[in-house]
Amino acid sequence: MTQLTANLASILENDSGIDAAYKHAPKQVTPGDVLELSGTVLKWYAVHAQDQPVPEEITQLARSYLTRNDLEAKGFGFVILHRCGNDFYFLIVNTWRGNNEIWETVFYKNGDAMTDFALWPRETVHKPTFCVWELVPVWHEQKVWERLLTSSRDEAAAATWLNDRYEGAA
């Protein structure tokens, strides 16, 4: 068994990346209607606390935002609309590019302070990607994409990819 190093102990004490007041709880992943844009087909996932689903008006606002704005994202992919707390939302657009890579664009809406979604600012070099709950649909989509990659990659295989969506605990 590996011993606790001085660096590991120091990180635990000084900057573990976990706020002392943080309480972790399970969430739910709920699939939604597929979103088709010009040159893009996106599966839809909502991530939320079990007792706080994403309100329909937020889902419609998110879908409208993606429809009204020209996305760089093209091809096959998926969206994660994550309700964080009461009224903060991440809208994460993921597409498969370079054969086997997830490319992402992140938008957000911060409660009533914002009337619509906006591009998430990314000024720093070290950037956040997915949280533990968002990784659940990402992991599912990784497996489904791998099956498509090893298939005949015809219309039937694409339909199988499209219809294979995750629903359950995160």
Side-chain angles (χ1 to χ4, degrees):
M1 184 154 121
T2 303
Q3 295 293 318
L4 188 64
T5 68
N7 190 38
L8 188 58
S10 174
I11 291 169
L12 279 170
E13 185 176 320
N14 298 309
D15 189 8
S16 68
I18 307 167
D19 186 285
Y22 176 75
K23 301 290 185 210
H24 193 74
K27 289 195 176 184
Q28 182 74 22
V29 178
T30 305
D33 294 334
V34 170
L35 181 63
E36 293 191 49
L37 306 169
S38 178
T40 312
V41 175
L42 300 168
K43 297 181 189 180
W44 194 274
Y45 292 103
V47 174
H48 54 87
Q50 290 183 342
D51 62 343
Q52 285 188 305
V54 175
E56 184 60 28
E57 60 269 15
I58 296 295
T59 298
Q60 291 309 315
L61 183 66
R63 294 175 73 86
S64 173
Y65 181 83
L66 296 178
T67 302
R68 288 182 279 115
N69 290 280
D70 187 28
L71 297 178
E72 291 180 15
K74 299 294 178 208
F76 296 117
F78 57 99
V79 170
I80 299 171
L81 178 56
H82 183 180
R83 183 175 190 173
C84 308
N86 288 329
D87 60 358
F88 186 95
Y89 298 88
F90 277 116
L91 177 61
I92 307 167
V93 177
N94 306 276
T95 55
W96 292 102
R97 309 306 301 158
N99 303 316
N100 56 22
E101 302 168 351
I102 292 178
W103 289 30
E104 72 171 1
T105 307
V106 180
F107 306 96
Y108 75 108
K109 182 178 182 328
N110 190 1
D112 292 336
M114 298 173 67
T115 59
D116 208 347
F117 283 85
L119 188 62
W120 179 254
R122 291 188 171 217
E123 292 86 17
T124 61
V125 174
H126 194 58
K127 299 167 178 61
T129 57
F130 301 105
C131 74
V132 295
W133 300 291
E134 294 159 356
L135 284 171
V136 172
V138 170
W139 181 250
H140 175 82
E141 288 301 316
Q142 181 270 335
K143 294 297 182 195
V144 176
W145 188 250
E146 210 165 25
R147 283 194 293 275
L148 180 67
L149 290 176
T150 59
S151 75
S152 59
R153 295 188 289 233
D154 58 11
E155 287 184 20
T160 298
W161 165 82
L162 183 63
N163 290 314
D164 191 337
R165 289 180 263 167
Y166 178 79
E167 180 171 14

